[in-house]
Amino acid sequence: MPYQPRVAILVPAPDYEEKWQPAFARKAAALTAAGLIVEQRVWTDPGDLAGHDLVLPLFAWGYQRNVAAWYGLLDRLGDEGLPVVNPVPVLRWNSDKAYLADLAAKGVAVVPTVDVAALDAAALADACARLGTEEVVIKPAISGGADGTHRIAPGAAIPADALGQRRLVQPLMPGILTEGEVSLFFFGGRFSHAIVKRPAAGDFRVQEQFGGRETAWEAKDAARTLAAMALAAAPLPPTYARVDMVGDAAGRLHLMELELIEPSLFLHHAPDKGAAFAQAVYAAV
């Protein structure tokens, strides 16, 4: 019988509130079909990982709520030389959205962003002036699932959880309200599928827990080109990637996020239901 590599997938702690199990089941089924043995390990306390051929942080959901533990885990994975996909340097680089400035410096069209060390009314006014807008979205630099993300209308107060904290300030991109947020998925550097996520009426967040919904989307050349530029700017080629983008008032796409740690991959929208994903992971063993 051919050797079956053992893969540890990092998952949330039992008290984590988001429903991650259905997506895990789809990924695990694809990996198992490709000949891999899948095991769950809680990312905050994964135990001994030395016996595994690969560690996947695909469900390290909530890492933004325990940043010290997350960086501690990355230190451990790196120090022990454990095989990790995506590689630890990529995970570390992708953990803080300061990477958007790196991408912009390499010519990638990112959503305009001002990184504010301690947000207050004066800093917000300055950021709005620099961005040339009155309505903005603020978010933590280390975030996920829209945690701590707020839409701030002109004259509105800064939310208490953001006051005095480091925050990224971005213009509210018109495309999020009209066309939605587009996500392209790549496995082993090859395009797999794409979706568009639309927010619920009256909201700007596209995540399922806020009423967002997704449908399949045909990725146009402009979207594929932007995604390819973003992926080429990563520190190392990622085995799996989700590239999120949104349109401006003229319909030009801008990169919102490059998700290389624990993205939902929406494999049920992939034509092959995840076979290319599993093959890319197997090839990384």
Short mmCIF file of all heavy atoms in Angstrom, two decimals, residues 67-82 84 88-89 91-92:
data_model
loop_
_atom_site.label_atom_id
_atom_site.label_comp_id
_atom_site.label_asym_id
_atom_site.label_seq_id
_atom_site.Cartn_x
_atom_site.Cartn_y
_atom_site.Cartn_z
N VAL A 67 -2.90 37.17 19.82
CA VAL A 67 -1.76 37.41 18.94
C VAL A 67 -0.47 36.83 19.52
O VAL A 67 0.35 36.26 18.79
CB VAL A 67 -1.61 38.91 18.66
CG1 VAL A 67 -0.36 39.19 17.85
CG2 VAL A 67 -2.84 39.42 17.92
N ALA A 68 -0.29 36.97 20.84
CA ALA A 68 0.94 36.46 21.45
C ALA A 68 1.04 34.95 21.26
O ALA A 68 2.12 34.42 20.94
CB ALA A 68 0.97 36.82 22.94
N ALA A 69 -0.07 34.24 21.46
CA ALA A 69 -0.05 32.79 21.28
C ALA A 69 0.21 32.42 19.82
O ALA A 69 0.91 31.44 19.53
CB ALA A 69 -1.38 32.19 21.75
N TRP A 70 -0.34 33.20 18.91
CA TRP A 70 -0.15 32.92 17.48
C TRP A 70 1.32 33.07 17.08
O TRP A 70 1.90 32.17 16.46
CB TRP A 70 -1.03 33.84 16.65
CG TRP A 70 -0.76 33.77 15.17
CD1 TRP A 70 -0.28 34.76 14.38
CD2 TRP A 70 -0.97 32.64 14.32
NE1 TRP A 70 -0.17 34.33 13.08
CE2 TRP A 70 -0.59 33.02 13.01
CE3 TRP A 70 -1.44 31.34 14.53
CZ2 TRP A 70 -0.65 32.15 11.92
CZ3 TRP A 70 -1.51 30.47 13.45
CH2 TRP A 70 -1.12 30.88 12.17
N TYR A 71 1.91 34.20 17.46
CA TYR A 71 3.32 34.38 17.12
C TYR A 71 4.21 33.38 17.86
O TYR A 71 5.25 32.96 17.34
CB TYR A 71 3.75 35.82 17.40
CG TYR A 71 3.31 36.80 16.34
CD1 TYR A 71 2.53 37.90 16.66
CD2 TYR A 71 3.67 36.63 15.01
CE1 TYR A 71 2.12 38.81 15.68
CE2 TYR A 71 3.27 37.52 14.03
CZ TYR A 71 2.49 38.60 14.37
OH TYR A 71 2.10 39.48 13.40
N GLY A 72 3.80 33.01 19.06
CA GLY A 72 4.54 31.97 19.78
C GLY A 72 4.50 30.65 19.04
O GLY A 72 5.51 29.93 18.98
N LEU A 73 3.35 30.32 18.47
CA LEU A 73 3.24 29.09 17.69
C LEU A 73 4.12 29.16 16.44
O LEU A 73 4.81 28.19 16.10
CB LEU A 73 1.78 28.86 17.28
CG LEU A 73 1.52 27.68 16.35
CD1 LEU A 73 1.91 26.36 17.01
CD2 LEU A 73 0.07 27.65 15.90
N LEU A 74 4.12 30.30 15.76
CA LEU A 74 4.96 30.44 14.58
C LEU A 74 6.44 30.30 14.95
O LEU A 74 7.21 29.67 14.22
CB LEU A 74 4.72 31.79 13.91
CG LEU A 74 3.33 32.02 13.30
CD1 LEU A 74 3.28 33.38 12.61
CD2 LEU A 74 2.94 30.91 12.35
N ASP A 75 6.83 30.88 16.09
CA ASP A 75 8.21 30.72 16.56
C ASP A 75 8.53 29.25 16.77
O ASP A 75 9.60 28.76 16.36
CB ASP A 75 8.42 31.48 17.86
CG ASP A 75 8.44 32.99 17.67
OD1 ASP A 75 8.63 33.44 16.52
OD2 ASP A 75 8.25 33.70 18.67
N ARG A 76 7.61 28.54 17.41
CA ARG A 76 7.85 27.13 17.69
C ARG A 76 7.95 26.32 16.40
O ARG A 76 8.85 25.48 16.24
CB ARG A 76 6.70 26.58 18.55
CG ARG A 76 6.83 25.08 18.80
CD ARG A 76 5.56 24.46 19.33
NE ARG A 76 5.58 23.03 19.08
CZ ARG A 76 4.56 22.22 19.31
NH1 ARG A 76 3.43 22.71 19.79
NH2 ARG A 76 4.65 20.93 19.04
N LEU A 77 7.03 26.54 15.47
CA LEU A 77 7.06 25.80 14.21
C LEU A 77 8.36 26.05 13.47
O LEU A 77 8.94 25.13 12.89
CB LEU A 77 5.86 26.21 13.34
CG LEU A 77 4.48 25.84 13.87
CD1 LEU A 77 3.39 26.46 12.99
CD2 LEU A 77 4.30 24.34 13.95
N GLY A 78 8.81 27.31 13.49
CA GLY A 78 10.06 27.63 12.83
C GLY A 78 11.26 27.04 13.53
O GLY A 78 12.16 26.47 12.90
N ASP A 79 11.29 27.15 14.87
CA ASP A 79 12.43 26.64 15.64
C ASP A 79 12.57 25.12 15.52
O ASP A 79 13.69 24.60 15.48
CB ASP A 79 12.28 27.02 17.11
CG ASP A 79 12.45 28.51 17.36
OD1 ASP A 79 12.95 29.21 16.46
OD2 ASP A 79 12.05 28.98 18.45
N GLU A 80 11.44 24.43 15.46
CA GLU A 80 11.47 22.97 15.38
C GLU A 80 11.64 22.47 13.95
O GLU A 80 11.77 21.26 13.72
CB GLU A 80 10.21 22.38 16.01
CG GLU A 80 10.09 22.63 17.51
CD GLU A 80 8.86 21.98 18.12
OE1 GLU A 80 8.21 21.16 17.44
OE2 GLU A 80 8.56 22.30 19.29
N GLY A 81 11.63 23.39 13.00
CA GLY A 81 11.80 23.00 11.62
C GLY A 81 10.69 22.12 11.08
O GLY A 81 10.93 21.29 10.20
N LEU A 82 9.49 22.31 11.62
CA LEU A 82 8.37 21.48 11.19
C LEU A 82 7.91 21.88 9.79
O LEU A 82 7.94 23.06 9.44
CB LEU A 82 7.22 21.59 12.18
CG LEU A 82 7.50 21.06 13.59
CD1 LEU A 82 6.39 21.45 14.55
CD2 LEU A 82 7.64 19.53 13.54
N VAL A 84 5.55 23.12 7.29
CA VAL A 84 4.30 23.88 7.40
C VAL A 84 3.92 24.43 6.03
O VAL A 84 4.76 24.90 5.27
CB VAL A 84 4.45 25.04 8.40
CG1 VAL A 84 3.11 25.75 8.60
CG2 VAL A 84 4.99 24.54 9.74
N VAL A 88 6.21 29.12 7.22
CA VAL A 88 6.17 30.02 8.36
C VAL A 88 6.51 31.47 7.98
O VAL A 88 5.83 32.39 8.45
CB VAL A 88 7.09 29.51 9.49
CG1 VAL A 88 7.26 30.57 10.58
CG2 VAL A 88 6.50 28.23 10.10
N PRO A 89 7.53 31.73 7.16
CA PRO A 89 7.78 33.13 6.79
C PRO A 89 6.58 33.79 6.09
O PRO A 89 6.34 34.99 6.28
CB PRO A 89 8.99 33.04 5.85
CG PRO A 89 9.68 31.78 6.23
CD PRO A 89 8.58 30.83 6.63
N LEU A 91 3.37 32.90 6.63
CA LEU A 91 2.36 33.08 7.67
C LEU A 91 2.66 34.31 8.51
O LEU A 91 1.76 35.10 8.84
CB LEU A 91 2.29 31.84 8.57
CG LEU A 91 1.96 30.51 7.89
CD1 LEU A 91 1.96 29.38 8.92
CD2 LEU A 91 0.62 30.56 7.17
N ARG A 92 3.93 34.48 8.86
CA ARG A 92 4.30 35.63 9.69
C ARG A 92 4.07 36.95 8.93
O ARG A 92 3.51 37.90 9.47
CB ARG A 92 5.77 35.51 10.12
CG ARG A 92 6.20 36.51 11.18
CD ARG A 92 7.67 36.34 11.53
NE ARG A 92 7.95 35.00 12.03
CZ ARG A 92 7.72 34.61 13.28
NH1 ARG A 92 7.20 35.46 14.14
NH2 ARG A 92 8.01 33.38 13.66
#
